[in-house]
Amino acid sequence: SREESHEEPGGTGPVPPRSTPRRWGGRDGALHASAGRLVAAVDAAVDAANDDGRTMSRLNLDALVAAWDRYLADFCAWKSHDAAALERELVAAAVALETSHLRTCGSDSRQQPFHPSSDEAAVRDACDRDKATLRTKVEALGGAEAVARFDAAMASALAKVEAEEDDRAADKASSSSSSSGDISDDAARRRKERAARRMDARAAMREARTASFRRRVAERAVSAVSA
């Protein structure tokens, strides 16, 4: 339908066009509906009390409690989903930050004695400060489990950059090695160590996902019992 502006009675000027009513769906829709039922239950209880001058009846009280319980369950589900989405955004920002830092300064930057006034030290220190801030926010959202997922994501970012460095080193060694194609013992050792760290990072990610899955199952079980 076409939106139209109109004059407010009394000549106070045009009123902004009426916007299309919002369509609610998913968790937002469930929370919106249960909030409406809760408001209706409160209104019914107040109206009943006003009609006969007494306190609300048992029927009104039961309806109000049922509406409140449903609203509380829907609110908790909505808030939990909102927190999980925010956690993913914060972790993604930290991963991007860490990956950029490692690609700029090297995967072993935290073991390097950079001069305090060097660009590398400035990048590393800024990254560490911002990561600490993001980690604190993640912990506030999801507690120890969220921190475990955050740390696992950081380990995965490090393993990814190390793999990229190994690939570049292997290509360089291949182009400059003898016809036998032998790679130095030191390079081979580094590849082995980094492969082990990548396996540890993947294991940490799996453990974090498993813990998160178990938590969701437990929450659904509690919700089913209380419903």
Side-chain angles (χ1 to χ4, degrees):
S1 62
R2 184 169 59 89
E3 295 181 349
E4 296 180 352
S5 61
H6 60 282
E7 258 328 285
E8 184 72 15
T12 58
V15 176
R18 296 185 180 92
S19 60
T20 303
R22 178 176 178 179
R23 295 184 179 180
W24 300 87
R27 291 180 178 83
D28 288 347
L31 180 61
H32 184 259
S34 60
R37 288 191 292 268
L38 177 59
V39 171
V42 172
D43 289 343
V46 171
D47 290 343
N50 289 336
D51 288 343
D52 56 19
R54 298 178 301 174
T55 58
M56 69 179 70
S57 66
R58 182 68 190 185
L59 181 63
N60 293 132
L61 180 60
D62 289 344
L64 179 60
V65 171
W68 167 255
D69 288 344
R70 184 67 267 167
Y71 171 79
L72 181 61
D74 289 339
F75 177 81
C76 290
W78 173 81
K79 191 62 179 177
S80 175
H81 179 266
D82 185 55
L86 180 55
E87 178 193 324
R88 287 193 296 270
E89 292 180 3
L90 292 173
V91 171
V95 167
L97 186 68
E98 177 74 346
T99 301
S100 176
H101 151 246
L102 294 174
R103 284 173 175 164
T104 301
C105 302
S107 63
D108 58 350
S109 68
R110 291 188 175 87
Q111 287 75 47
Q112 294 296 325
F114 295 129
H115 191 278
S117 62
S118 66
D119 292 341
E120 290 84 356
V123 170
R124 180 185 60 193
D125 294 345
C127 175
D128 287 346
R129 286 194 301 271
D130 291 343
K131 273 178 51 186
T133 299
L134 292 170
R135 191 176 188 273
T136 299
K137 292 181 178 180
V138 167
E139 183 177 16
L141 286 170
E145 290 184 0
V147 168
R149 290 190 290 271
F150 182 95
D151 292 342
M154 295 304 100
S156 181
L158 173 60
K160 178 181 179 181
V161 175
E162 286 180 338
E164 294 172 354
E165 291 177 347
D166 285 343
D167 290 341
R168 288 195 297 270
D171 291 341
K172 184 177 180 180
S174 296
S175 63
S176 60
S177 63
S178 62
S179 58
S180 61
D182 292 335
I183 301 177
S184 69
D185 292 340
D186 183 62
R189 177 183 57 78
R190 290 181 61 192
R191 289 176 65 87
K192 185 176 180 180
E193 291 175 351
R194 291 181 172 182
R197 284 199 291 269
R198 287 196 294 272
M199 290 181 64
D200 290 342
R202 287 194 292 268
M205 288 290 288
R206 286 195 299 270
E207 183 178 351
R209 286 195 296 266
T210 300
S212 178
F213 173 76
R214 289 174 178 169
R215 178 175 57 82
R216 291 196 301 271
V217 170
E219 289 174 350
R220 285 198 294 268
V222 172
S223 298
V225 171
S226 60

